[in-house]
Amino acid sequence: MVEQQMENLSVNDDDDVVDPWNVTGKSETGIDYDKLIKRFGSQKIDESLIQRFETVTGKRAHHFLRRGIFFSHRDFHNILSLYEKGEKFYLYTGRGPSSESMHIGHMIPFVFTKWLQDVFNVPLVIQLTDDEKVLWRDIKVEDARQMAFNNAKDIIAVGFDPKNTFIFNDLDFIGKCPEFYQNMIRIQKCVTFNQAKGIFGFGDSDVIGKVSFPAVEAAPSFSTSFPFIFGKKAVPCLVPCAIDQDPYFRMSRDVAARLKFPKPSLLHSTFLPALQGAQHKMSASDPNASIFLNDTVKQIKNKINKYAFSGGQATVEEHREKGGNTSVDISYKYLTFFLEDDDRLNEIKKQYESGELLTGELKKIAIETITPFVQAYQARRAAVTDDVLKQFFEIRPIEF
Amino acid sequence: MVEQQMENLSVNDDDDVVDPWNVTGKSETGIDYDKLIKRFGSQKIDESLIQRFETVTGKRAHHFLRRGIFFSHRDFHNILSLYEKGEKFYLYTGRGPSSESMHIGHMIPFVFTKWLQDVFNVPLVIQLTDDEKVLWRDIKVEDARQMAFNNAKDIIAVGFDPKNTFIFNDLDFIGKCPEFYQNMIRIQKCVTFNQAKGIFGFGDSDVIGKVSFPAVEAAPSFSTSFPFIFGKKAVPCLVPCAIDQDPYFRMSRDVAARLKFPKPSLLHSTFLPALQGAQHKMSASDPNASIFLNDTVKQIKNKINKYAFSGGQATVEEHREKGGNTSVDISYKYLTFFLEDDDRLNEIKKQYESGELLTGELKKIAIETITPFVQAYQARRAAVTDDVLKQFFEIRPIEF
């Protein structure tokens, strides 16, 4: 039987486009995330949830939570209840590898996942969907695998520890773990072409690999896909991801109910906007829209000064009089992601909106905030050797 | 681009139904195999091909070839040319496992494959599609795997040798061989849902696992799916199979051209008819229609005497006068499969058609021919232990 979650989510012409392959906002302030929550049927991360998080964990909530950068969830209360009772769960996130360097927007879910892992002290599995890239793009198997290995190094440099983190690419791992393939088949048995069409927008001229791929992204949300970590236990899963990946997990949750697996819980992030404005997310395919993790200090400075869309006024006089608009200013938006100090951020907001702070000065603060973040990252990245990579990819029991 | 072979094959209402899931003839003489050759676009195995086979191999053609039981092919000439030049190729066949005992009809492709292997001295891979059974039937992963292992023992008892035969079930092997999964993805990238619909008749309400399954049956026809046997070499493949499996290999051949793999060659068999008549193939789900490999001597005798459809006349007098009809007589048809002696078979035909031989006498000959075949099989089957099974399933280099 088709559950409600498997149904097509009707989209209107004036809705923002948010699916695993396209993200575009209709307004210059960016995507209307509250509207998205309604459309997707997820829950808003509100004050009471954040409070409960702080009570249960005894830790201050991450500024991504406090500032609505992780803004939506499904059943996060369940995870907090498990933690409260001292019961086990695990984290799962992932990435579709690409040949370009990763950019600072790619870091957001990983930085947050790392923080969750530190708070909860649980295992993490990270999937690199190189098979997806072969199916969707003009990319060969060998090249997709290489992209996955390179991207894995970039991810490891966020600060993960092989002690409790397993990283895998589909094109190798699925051929090394029969239980994973068996779960793929179980999932593929629960979803009709019609349903996949409704959830993902597939058409008759899509290749059959695309049609069945959602099972590959769903499988890691079931612990039995990793018997070397979890044995045969049905361990609940928490998936931190960008909101565009939600369709995979709406499907996973429906399938879970039918296979008598625990439904994965979810935490959804917003997107780091492109330099040119909040309608688009930062994209690796446009170098002028993105700050890459391998950009030099000079490149970062130039890109922000040259491209970061400003909410300031046309002249200094006008700016002093009317003030800047933080709801469209990209430098300010970046500070909400990368400047941890709440008081400082509030002060900047006040000063910019009052006209006291000029665009050039705001950009300077953004540059001074993002540059050390990237530099620290680059130092960690330099230490990720092939040997380190191997440790994360090894099929092995991990701390649990 | 869609090649001609990927196109839907138009079926008329009065055509026999022959696809991987259904086989039904419209006439009491059974399926019109000549018409099928035209519909499928394959080639008839004619006298000149049989002659060439005998010249190239120096061996007499098997009676399955001489009698049109293997009646159709694709590019078998290529295989004979390779053999002539001393170049390598391999054999691939398979079975969708079932919980019932295998019947004598299931043996036909395996008996013939064993003979081909002896003639050519080449490696053989045998696929058990337990994943297919999970997707198509109400069967759990664990049960499907068990069925595959049991069926494998039945197949081994045909007389295969682990020295040059590798047997695998999908639900375990795909999770042990990344190159196999990688080929699945390559194949799934070449076939659209529309094409799969045309070839296999899938509909929008079919589950996504069915839609992508054809890639699983196609993958073993490419040698790079078995790197532990063939390394990275593109070794041509010969697939002996029942004609109903042809759609998979029409697809494989089309995909091969696009992936620059050698196109698999094919040898197609007719079906051993059910006891009740030639319209239906022998089916494990109807015990009265089938002679099982674990039937007792008494059961074989009773089933043939009681159920084998007779081409004889209503009374002895009428039979003596008009003679029997070998084109519908099931006992006679079975003799064409199981009685190797051509002279003796011709003599029986003549005597039966002239009325000299009565139905009861013909049935007796059929019983006396099939019983020792089954008994010899049962003796070999008793020797297939778990240890023997293991040898065939081990991922290993094999003689090549």
Side-chain angles (χ1 to χ4, degrees):
Chain A
M1 286 294 87
V2 184
E3 290 197 12
Q4 180 265 332
Q5 293 182 337
M6 284 271 226
E7 299 289 352
N8 196 349
L9 298 170
S10 60
V11 180
N12 299 316
D13 276 355
D14 61 341
D15 281 342
D16 298 323
V17 179
V18 177
D19 68 40
W21 304 281
N22 293 293
V23 174
T24 315
K26 302 280 173 175
S27 144
E28 66 171 1
T29 55
I31 288 154
D32 185 335
Y33 288 108
D34 283 333
K35 216 169 153 190
L36 214 54
I37 285 176
K38 276 194 206 128
R39 217 170 88 205
F40 282 15
S42 61
Q43 307 296 314
K44 196 180 169 91
I45 295 178
D46 58 15
E47 266 314 301
S48 77
L49 180 61
I50 292 174
Q51 205 119 75
R52 184 166 178 233
F53 170 88
E54 295 190 337
T55 308
V56 168
T57 64
K59 300 267 161 64
R60 186 162 189 225
H62 194 278
H63 69 277
F64 287 173
L65 284 171
R66 300 195 313 265
R67 297 179 191 161
I69 288 169
F70 271 78
F71 72 106
S72 156
H73 75 103
R74 295 183 188 274
D75 289 344
F76 187 54
H77 276 294
N78 293 357
I79 295 293
L80 292 177
S81 299
L82 289 171
Y83 186 77
E84 229 171 1
K85 290 184 273 184
E87 285 176 23
K88 307 276 187 188
F89 61 93
Y90 71 105
L91 292 164
Y92 157 40
T93 192
R95 163 166 171 74
S98 82
S99 58
E100 299 91 0
S101 166
M102 286 171 65
H103 57 61
I104 55 172
H106 292 134
M107 284 298 98
I108 305 305
F110 290 110
V111 165
F112 187 66
T113 300
K114 165 87 176 77
W115 176 80
L116 285 173
Q117 195 183 20
D118 291 343
V119 168
F120 292 126
N121 187 26
V122 291
L124 162 65
V125 297
I126 300 177
Q127 178 183 49
L128 294 159
T129 54
D130 48 3
D131 47 356
E132 179 194 14
K133 294 295 153 172
V134 172
L135 292 167
W136 261 265
R137 305 271 187 89
D138 185 19
I139 290 172
K140 290 204 178 311
V141 163
E142 295 71 20
D143 298 331
R145 292 175 61 222
Q146 203 46 60
M147 278 158 43
F149 300 141
N150 291 340
N151 280 207
K153 288 185 178 175
D154 292 346
I155 292 166
I156 289 167
V158 169
F160 294 107
D161 188 335
K163 171 177 113 267
N164 55 8
T165 304
F166 173 62
I167 306 182
F168 65 99
N169 66 308
D170 296 335
L171 288 169
D172 285 87
F173 176 64
I174 294 172
K176 292 177 182 172
C177 185
E179 292 83 356
F180 192 99
Y181 179 68
Q182 290 163 17
N183 274 346
M184 279 169 53
I185 291 290
R186 289 186 179 99
I187 297 163
Q188 288 175 358
K189 188 181 181 167
C190 290
V191 182
T192 67
F193 177 72
N194 249 334
Q195 290 167 335
K197 206 168 168 172
I199 302 167
F200 301 100
F202 296 140
D204 284 14
S205 57
D206 276 317
V207 298
I208 57 175
K210 287 189 184 182
V211 173
S212 60
F213 172 77
V216 179
E217 190 158 328
S221 63
F222 304 142
S223 61
T224 52
S225 298
F226 307 99
F228 48 95
I229 303 175
F230 305 110
K232 296 186 172 188
K233 282 194 288 290
V235 180
C237 179
L238 170 61
V239 184
C241 63
I243 185 73
D244 61 337
Q245 300 300 301
D246 186 63
Y248 288 112
F249 302 105
R250 284 202 294 274
M251 188 192 86
S252 301
R253 287 166 55 86
D254 180 82
V255 166
R258 295 162 66 186
L259 294 177
K260 307 202 189 331
F261 289 144
K263 284 190 182 190
S265 296
L266 288 161
L267 288 170
H268 296 125
S269 76
T270 62
F271 302 101
L272 185 76
L275 282 159
Q276 281 78 0
Q279 290 96 325
H280 296 281
K281 67 171 180 173
M282 193 171 272
S283 158
S285 52
D286 181 355
N288 292 333
S290 305
I291 296 168
F292 291 104
L293 291 165
N294 61 0
D295 276 350
T296 61
V297 171
K298 205 174 150 191
Q299 282 173 314
I300 297 170
K301 188 178 163 190
N302 285 345
K303 283 183 186 178
I304 292 179
N305 279 331
K306 197 163 167 189
Y307 300 114
F309 185 81
S310 167
Q313 305 301 336
T315 64
V316 173
E317 293 68 35
E318 204 186 333
H319 189 84
R320 294 284 186 217
E321 190 194 323
K322 298 185 186 163
N325 181 358
T326 53
S327 72
V328 300
D329 193 287
I330 291 298
S331 300
Y332 178 77
K333 285 208 186 274
Y334 287 180
L335 289 177
T336 65
F337 283 79
F338 294 101
L339 180 64
E340 292 185 33
D341 183 335
D342 287 342
D343 295 337
R344 176 100 174 88
L345 186 69
N346 277 333
E347 193 192 313
I348 289 166
K349 185 172 194 282
K350 221 181 298 171
Q351 290 180 338
Y352 191 61
E353 289 179 347
S354 74
E356 192 185 329
L357 198 69
L358 296 174
T359 290
E361 292 163 338
L362 179 65
K363 286 194 171 192
K364 188 160 178 280
I365 298 170
I367 292 163
E368 286 169 1
T369 304
I370 292 170
T371 304
F373 172 86
V374 173
Q375 284 180 311
Y377 172 83
Q378 289 174 349
R380 290 192 303 269
R381 177 67 183 78
V384 182
T385 60
D386 287 342
D387 276 350
V388 171
L389 187 75
K390 236 182 183 165
Q391 289 175 45
F392 283 91
F393 275 72
E394 205 196 328
I395 293 176
R396 65 201 190 276
I398 65 176
E399 194 174 275
F400 184 50
Chain B
M1 286 293 87
V2 183
E3 290 196 10
Q4 179 266 333
Q5 293 183 339
M6 284 272 226
E7 299 289 351
N8 196 348
L9 299 170
S10 60
V11 180
N12 299 317
D13 275 356
D14 60 340
D15 282 341
D16 299 323
V17 179
V18 178
D19 68 39
W21 304 281
N22 292 292
V23 175
T24 315
K26 302 281 172 174
S27 145
E28 66 170 1
T29 55
I31 287 154
D32 185 335
Y33 288 108
D34 283 334
K35 216 169 153 188
L36 214 53
I37 285 176
K38 276 194 206 130
R39 218 170 88 204
F40 282 16
S42 61
Q43 308 296 314
K44 195 179 169 97
I45 296 179
D46 57 15
E47 266 314 303
S48 76
L49 180 62
I50 292 174
Q51 206 120 75
R52 183 165 179 234
F53 170 88
E54 294 191 336
T55 308
V56 167
T57 64
K59 301 266 162 63
R60 183 160 192 228
H62 194 279
H63 69 277
F64 287 174
L65 283 172
R66 300 195 311 266
R67 297 180 192 160
I69 288 169
F70 271 78
F71 71 106
S72 156
H73 76 103
R74 295 184 189 272
D75 290 344
F76 187 53
H77 275 294
N78 293 356
I79 295 294
L80 292 177
S81 300
L82 288 172
Y83 186 77
E84 230 173 0
K85 289 183 273 183
E87 285 177 23
K88 307 277 187 187
F89 61 94
Y90 71 104
L91 292 163
Y92 157 41
T93 193
R95 164 166 169 74
S98 81
S99 58
E100 299 91 359
S101 167
M102 285 171 66
H103 58 60
I104 56 172
H106 291 133
M107 285 297 99
I108 304 305
F110 289 110
V111 165
F112 187 67
T113 301
K114 166 86 176 78
W115 176 81
L116 284 173
Q117 195 182 20
D118 290 344
V119 167
F120 292 125
N121 187 27
V122 290
L124 162 65
V125 297
I126 300 178
Q127 178 183 49
L128 295 159
T129 54
D130 48 3
D131 48 355
E132 179 194 14
K133 293 295 153 173
V134 172
L135 292 167
W136 261 265
R137 306 270 188 89
D138 185 18
I139 290 172
K140 289 204 178 310
V141 162
E142 296 69 22
D143 298 331
R145 292 174 62 221
Q146 204 46 60
M147 278 157 44
F149 300 140
N150 292 340
N151 280 208
K153 288 185 178 175
D154 292 346
I155 291 165
I156 289 166
V158 169
F160 294 107
D161 187 335
K163 173 177 111 268
N164 55 6
T165 303
F166 172 63
I167 305 182
F168 65 98
N169 67 309
D170 295 335
L171 288 169
D172 285 271
F173 176 64
I174 294 173
K176 291 176 182 172
C177 185
E179 292 83 356
F180 192 100
Y181 180 68
Q182 290 163 16
N183 274 346
M184 280 169 53
I185 292 290
R186 289 188 179 98
I187 296 163
Q188 288 175 358
K189 188 181 180 166
C190 290
V191 182
T192 66
F193 177 72
N194 249 333
Q195 290 166 337
K197 205 166 166 173
I199 302 168
F200 301 100
F202 296 140
D204 284 14
S205 58
D206 276 317
V207 298
I208 57 175
K210 287 189 185 182
V211 172
S212 59
F213 172 77
V216 179
E217 190 158 329
S221 62
F222 304 141
S223 61
T224 52
S225 298
F226 307 99
F228 48 94
I229 303 175
F230 305 109
K232 295 186 172 186
K233 282 194 286 288
V235 180
C237 179
L238 170 62
V239 184
C241 63
I243 186 71
D244 61 337
Q245 299 301 301
D246 186 64
Y248 288 112
F249 301 106
R250 285 202 294 275
M251 188 192 86
S252 300
R253 288 167 54 86
D254 180 81
V255 166
R258 296 163 64 187
L259 294 177
K260 308 203 187 331
F261 290 145
K263 283 189 182 190
S265 297
L266 289 161
L267 288 170
H268 297 125
S269 76
T270 62
F271 302 101
L272 185 77
L275 282 158
Q276 282 77 0
Q279 290 97 323
H280 295 281
K281 67 170 181 173
M282 193 171 272
S283 158
S285 52
D286 181 355
N288 292 333
S290 305
I291 296 168
F292 291 103
L293 291 165
N294 59 2
D295 276 350
T296 61
V297 171
K298 205 173 151 191
Q299 282 173 313
I300 296 170
K301 188 177 165 190
N302 285 345
K303 282 184 186 178
I304 292 178
N305 279 331
K306 196 161 166 189
Y307 298 115
F309 184 80
S310 167
Q313 305 300 338
T315 64
V316 173
E317 292 68 34
E318 203 185 333
H319 189 83
R320 293 284 186 220
E321 188 193 322
K322 298 185 183 165
N325 180 359
T326 53
S327 72
V328 299
D329 192 288
I330 292 298
S331 300
Y332 178 77
K333 285 208 186 274
Y334 287 179
L335 288 177
T336 66
F337 282 80
F338 294 101
L339 181 64
E340 291 185 32
D341 183 334
D342 287 342
D343 296 338
R344 177 101 173 86
L345 186 69
N346 277 333
E347 192 190 313
I348 290 167
K349 186 173 194 284
K350 222 182 295 171
Q351 290 179 341
Y352 192 60
E353 289 178 348
S354 74
E356 192 184 328
L357 198 69
L358 296 175
T359 290
E361 292 163 337
L362 180 65
K363 286 194 172 194
K364 189 160 178 279
I365 298 169
I367 292 163
E368 286 169 0
T369 305
I370 292 168
T371 303
F373 171 86
V374 173
Q375 284 179 311
Y377 172 83
Q378 288 174 350
R380 289 191 304 269
R381 178 67 181 79
V384 182
T385 60
D386 286 342
D387 277 348
V388 171
L389 186 75
K390 237 182 183 166
Q391 289 175 44
F392 282 91
F393 276 71
E394 205 197 324
I395 294 176
R396 65 201 192 277
I398 65 175
E399 195 174 276
F400 184 49

